[in-house]
Amino acid sequence: MRCPACLIRNSVRVYGRRWFRLPGPLIIIDRQIKLTSFIVSKNNHRLKKVFKNKKGRFVRFRRGQSAEKEMVLMLHIAPIPVTPFSSPPLRRHRCPPPMAASASHQPKSAPAVLGCGAVGGDYLATVASFPNPDDKIRSLALKVQGGGNAGNALTGAARLGLSPRIISKVSDDALGRSILKELQDDGVDTSYMTVAEEGNSPFTYIIVDNLTKTRTCIHTPGYPPMTPEELTKENLFAALHGVDMVYFDVRLHETALLVAEEASQRKIPILIDAEKKRDGLDELLNFASYVVCSAKFPQAWTGASSTPVALVHMLLRLPNIKFVIVTRGEKGSLMLERSMTDASETEETDVEDLLESLEQKVDLNSSLPKCIASKSNLRISADGVGSMSGRLLLGTAESIPSEELIDTTGAGDAFIGAVLYGLCTGMPVEKMLPFAAQVAACGCRALGARAGLPHLTDPRLFV
């Protein structure tokens, strides 16, 4: 469809007296070159002079009248005969095709990630030391803020520059409204969340031990729990539209399986947070492209003798997974990445010996996180498990001075948020591991899972 400006070449000749350039687009126009009415947008245009006869049939605007305010002016002009277009010849105005030349000047939208899992409220109390049974103690600090693995990870991803959406459930209570508002304020799209009219939103009591810098969590689930029927097909399709990654923390596992099946059909990469063995975890892992897990999970899930052996076992058992990352707190992280090409003809390297060789390269005097990677496309083996083609990467943690370490709550979620950012933006894994370690370290310098989450412009981060 051609724009109105094309129909009249952006100018008209009234009563043969002179040509006038139109100050804005014509919205209503007669193809017989008779003006009935039109709307002039005043977006930084300056209005041209329009003649006024003695009967007041036209309106005169003073030359140079300012049109800086964003408003709309409608001129009503009675139908009048207008001299058809004639000399001087007009330069032909051509409309650009839809989404044409200006597309290169459009800012690229942030990569979108969809998360499905836990949100909640955290009640954090810092104490001098963890109480003994039947003790009465006072808190040193108290803070109430949003929590939940998915909520924390997506908040971290949003602050780094992604465009996150979340599928979860709260109740229509004061806490639920606070949870939604906090997510929205951080740029997380909550349009696909379910809000129950009755019941309670999930929350967690967290006791932060100031002496040992550890935390103890007491969780109260939300009620009523979310059911798959509460996620309509329309909402599911809309939530998945245009996303670059889908993330699960293995809560709400029945609903998560629905999302995972649809995401898999659309060939959208899936990241699983495997904190511990949960209902539905095995089914979700079959859809996974990437896995980030806690230090204890690989051995607990596989029964292997050590973490590196368990990683080989996981990649052999889950052939669709591209890599597994194990977060190990102050020891950093360990990553086993599958090769795209087969290295079956290469001499086998024992995974435990490979890890030992990487640990010997760690600079103990450096406080900044680093990544030490083995050679690519090795044939990595584990006794009693088998062998695979890939490489092993060791990520060190940032050394946080004791006076700066406040709370480790949500450190794993912060790490995952940074991994989501790295994957969605195509960051090399050699850079992604140190970057994620820095994001997690920032989070540990404040009370709670979200207070210390950095933005991408934070000078403490390097990309």
Side-chain angles (χ1 to χ4, degrees), residues 404-462:
E404 295 182 20
L405 180 59
I406 304 298
D407 180 19
T408 59
T409 300
D413 301 332
F415 188 95
I416 289 175
V419 170
L420 288 170
Y421 174 82
L423 289 172
C424 288
T425 57
M427 184 183 294
V429 294
E430 296 90 341
K431 293 184 178 181
M432 183 178 71
L433 290 180
F435 176 72
Q438 283 195 310
V439 172
C442 290
C444 292
R445 287 178 163 90
L447 183 61
R450 299 188 191 175
L453 289 175
H455 292 79
L456 192 61
T457 54
D458 195 305
R460 295 173 295 179
L461 302 181
F462 61 87

Side-chain angles (χ1 to χ4, degrees), residues 105-124:
H105 303 289
Q106 301 259 340
K108 291 184 178 180
S109 58
V113 57
L114 172 66
C116 177
V119 297
D122 286 351
Y123 298 88
L124 297 122

Side-chain angles (χ1 to χ4, degrees), residues 287-331:
F287 294 104
S289 310
Y290 312 96
V291 177
V292 179
C293 52
S294 63
K296 296 179 180 179
F297 175 80
Q299 287 180 262
W301 193 67
T302 63
S305 58
S306 67
T307 297
V309 172
L311 295 184
V312 175
H313 191 169
M314 288 182 69
L315 287 186
L316 290 174
R317 184 172 167 182
L318 301 166
N320 295 325
I321 289 182
K322 297 179 181 179
F323 67 63
V324 178
I325 299 176
V326 182
T327 57
R328 306 188 298 169
E330 61 184 12
K331 294 182 180 180

